[in-house]
Amino acid sequence: LHHFSFKGPVAVAKFSPDGRYLAVGVGRLMQVWVTPSFEKQMSPMQLHRTYGQCHSDVLDLDWSPDSRFIAVASKDIVARVFSLNPIPGYEPPVLAGHRDGIVSIFFAGEAMRRQAEVDGAEPPALFTLSRDGALFSWTYSHSDQQQQQEQQQEPAAKRQKVDEQAAGAAGGDKGGDFPYLAGGKWALSSKHFLNQRGARVSAADLHRPTGVLVVGLTNGVFELLQLPSCDSLQTLSISRERISSLAFNHTGDWIAVGCAKLGQLLVWEWRSDSYVLKQQGHYHDISAVSFSPDGALIATGSEDRKVKIFQQSSGFCFVTFSDHNAPVTAVQFLPSGHALLSASLDGTVRAFDLLRYRNFRTMTAPTPVQFGSLAVDPGGELVAAGTLDTFQIYVWSLKTGRLLDVLAGHEGPVSCLGFSPTTSGLLASGSWDKSVRTWDIFSGQGGLETLTHTHDVLALAFRPDGKQLVVSTLEGTLTFWDPEEGVMQGFIEGRRDIRG
């Protein structure tokens, strides 16, 4: 709909409960913007107000249920409560007491306030949670002058005053029975310290209607607490890495847990102790990608030694193969789409069955090598893999797994391979020795042609009719060859396009 630059890193952004404003933490500033409409506008973002009282970067913020006040936590280990609109004589209170950085700040909901009244305690108005596991509960009380005025007012006049305050401060949204947080006094009512088991708090989220708080730790454990009593409801460990984000759904039954280092997303139904969704991407660089013949699947290989297959339509990973012992360098689907091949630096080429999801064939070289490229012939019978250390090409029979031939001739790492889609047994190989060689696998004659380039060869591909071969080199040039005659037919200079 719209794109806007805040000219700085955004730490947190939240819409107000009434949806009319957007609060954003940018550095040590907290800005409130008017929510843009669905219509295209020249200046969709309109600044309502900027708050610069924080002495360090803003870490978290939360809106009051009536959309009239904003609580902000910053790196200076204090929390402040700002009003949306200017109030004469109002000074934002500074809530101090934590000994470590505040991770999350939350306004209390009506259910939590009612429960506190039932328990005979003073209703909480705000909660702050710091990295050292300290959960502070803050209460707000009106001044004596305000209490006397409210006691003298009749119920009808009192309701009119509340409506006028809400209309003047938030544009007419009443926000239930939440107190008007100006002119009174804040106090620290209780402290609760979480059992962190030697870890630190990294993320938290509160489901305000039910008063359930979920806290994530740096050791991969998250815990559910019932506020305001702070009773532990459930504890679960999903990994050993830091939990980076937590979020409830609107009903409070599902919890989305994110772990950035592992690329993991988990949706947990805490009432029934069951998984709703579990997704994990690669947690190292992806080195190879391949589409299935029908385009429905995407296979990826990574330096984390895993091969994953994703649904193209949903983006979900539905199977992970962890058979390799070294980074995966190439992946390739069979033409039938029923199996997947992967090459790795561990010196193996593995074939995975996509019906039973198992490794049904492992192809190796007589001596330890590191494979860096992979190709399958159109019939799905031959598998070729190029090495990075011995500069050779190994050819196997996929049906038997037997090594058929070893092709030697390159003087640098073999970077790419490709079979001709029409000529049976015609293989092209590219190398960092600035050459492309063609081979006839079935005749046993070895190399047919050597196509020399001026720079290292990075990739090659045959035209669907097999009558032309295109080669990409390090300098950004695409060169077109006749694969049978070994004659260059043209080139495209792409270096300037790459530079932008």
Side-chain angles (χ1 to χ4, degrees):
L1 293 175
H2 305 288
H3 178 273
F4 186 80
S5 175
F6 292 96
K7 299 179 176 62
V10 177
V12 60
K14 290 185 180 180
F15 284 101
S16 61
D18 59 10
R20 300 180 61 185
Y21 298 96
L22 173 66
V24 181
V26 184
R28 55 179 293 271
L29 300 178
M30 198 271 289
Q31 301 175 347
V32 176
W33 298 78
V34 178
T35 302
S37 66
F38 289 101
E39 300 177 356
K40 293 292 184 180
Q41 301 176 2
M42 182 65 71
S43 299
M45 298 289 288
Q46 297 180 4
L47 182 62
H48 175 73
R49 196 176 178 189
T50 299
Y51 306 82
Q53 287 90 335
C54 295
H55 298 158
S56 188
D57 292 345
V58 174
L59 298 178
D60 194 25
L61 60 86
D62 192 32
W63 288 84
S64 63
D66 54 11
S67 301
R68 292 183 288 178
F69 292 88
I70 309 166
V72 179
S74 57
K75 281 186 178 180
D76 52 10
I77 323 180
V78 297
R80 295 173 174 85
V81 181
F82 300 104
S83 63
L84 175 63
N85 293 311
I87 300 176
Y90 178 75
E91 289 291 335
V94 178
L95 310 181
H98 283 284
R99 297 183 178 181
D100 205 343
I102 301 176
V103 176
S104 297
I105 186 168
F106 306 103
F107 275 103
E110 293 301 322
M112 290 180 277
R113 296 177 59 80
R114 287 195 297 267
Q115 184 61 41
E117 293 176 351
V118 171
D119 297 339
E122 191 171 358
L126 188 70
F127 294 95
T128 55
L129 177 64
S130 61
R131 289 191 180 94
D132 57 3
L135 177 62
F136 287 4
S137 175
W138 304 86
T139 58
Y140 176 82
S141 58
H142 293 285
S143 62
D144 296 338
Q145 182 179 2
Q146 274 186 321
Q147 291 178 353
Q148 293 176 0
Q149 291 178 355
E150 291 179 357
Q151 291 175 358
Q152 294 174 359
Q153 289 176 341
E154 295 182 358
K158 185 177 179 180
R159 286 195 299 270
Q160 182 179 1
K161 178 185 175 183
V162 173
D163 293 342
E164 291 175 355
Q165 288 177 343
D173 190 7
K174 296 180 181 180
D177 298 329
F178 198 82
Y180 187 70
L181 304 177
K185 184 178 181 180
W186 288 88
L188 177 61
S189 60
S190 64
K191 297 180 182 181
H192 179 78
F193 295 92
L194 304 179
N195 182 14
Q196 299 175 260
R197 303 170 183 84
R200 296 166 67 83
V201 175
S202 57
D205 190 32
L206 173 68
H207 187 250
R208 192 177 291 162
T210 59
V212 178
L213 173 69
V214 58
V215 179
L217 306 179
T218 54
N219 59 358
V221 176
F222 68 90
E223 182 177 7
L224 274 75
L225 303 171
Q226 180 66 59
L227 298 182
S229 60
C230 295
D231 296 331
S232 180
L233 300 178
Q234 191 178 94
T235 301
L236 181 69
S237 175
I238 62 169
S239 68
R240 295 183 180 179
E241 300 297 336
R242 174 181 179 270
I243 294 178
S244 54
S245 59
L246 291 165
F248 277 102
N249 70 332
H250 68 286
T251 61
D253 297 327
W254 293 0
I255 304 172
V257 185
C259 181
K261 186 173 181 179
L262 298 178
Q264 187 179 47
L265 169 64
L266 169 70
V267 179
W268 178 253
E269 210 288 321
W270 66 274
R271 298 186 189 275
S272 62
D273 292 345
S274 60
Y275 290 106
V276 178
L277 174 68
K278 188 175 182 181
Q279 288 289 304
Q280 182 170 345
H282 295 288
Y283 54 89
H284 280 302
D285 294 341
I286 295 177
S287 54
V289 180
S290 177
F291 269 97
S292 62
D294 59 0
L297 305 178
I298 302 174
T300 59
S302 171
E303 293 182 0
D304 61 6
R305 302 174 297 180
K306 290 183 173 63
V307 176
K308 292 180 177 289
I309 303 179
F310 296 82
Q311 289 280 358
Q312 187 272 337
S313 57
S314 63
F316 287 159
C317 172
F318 66 93
V319 64
T320 300
F321 300 108
S322 305
D323 300 81
H324 286 292
N325 299 320
V328 179
T329 55
V331 291
Q332 183 72 46
F333 280 95
L334 287 186
S336 62
H338 298 317
L340 175 70
L341 296 170
S342 63
S344 170
L345 295 181
D346 61 5
T348 63
V349 174
R350 297 180 182 269
F352 301 99
D353 186 356
L354 298 186
L355 298 178
R356 300 180 181 179
Y357 302 118
R358 63 184 181 89
N359 177 204
F360 70 91
R361 187 83 68 232
T362 300
M363 291 157 279
T364 61
T367 58
V369 294
Q370 292 182 330
F371 291 117
S373 54
L374 183 65
V376 185
D377 77 318
E381 299 177 355
L382 299 178
V383 178
T387 62
L388 300 177
D389 47 4
T390 63
F391 315 147
Q392 295 173 322
I393 302 170
Y394 292 82
V395 182
W396 297 272
S397 169
L398 180 60
K399 186 176 182 179
T400 63
R402 187 170 62 90
L403 181 63
L404 300 179
D405 200 355
V406 179
L407 308 177
H410 282 294
E411 299 176 358
V414 180
S415 58
C416 50
L417 294 171
F419 279 95
S420 171
T422 56
T423 305
S424 179
L426 180 60
L427 174 68
S429 62
S431 171
W432 291 359
D433 62 3
K434 305 178 184 179
S435 70
V436 171
R437 292 175 179 265
T438 57
W439 315 81
D440 189 346
I441 303 298
F442 293 134
S443 68
Q445 298 178 358
L448 298 178
E449 298 287 346
T450 300
L451 313 178
T452 304
H453 297 76
T454 58
H455 289 78
D456 298 355
V457 175
L458 302 180
L460 57 83
F462 279 93
R463 205 168 68 179
D465 59 4
K467 295 182 179 180
Q468 201 170 51
L469 175 68
V470 61
V471 179
S472 173
T473 57
L474 187 61
E475 64 175 343
T477 300
L478 298 177
T479 308
F480 299 89
W481 299 84
D482 184 337
E484 296 182 357
E485 301 295 333
V487 178
M488 188 177 69
Q489 297 178 335
F491 66 92
I492 297 176
E493 178 62 59
R495 180 168 50 188
R496 294 183 179 179
D497 298 328
I498 296 175
R499 289 178 178 175

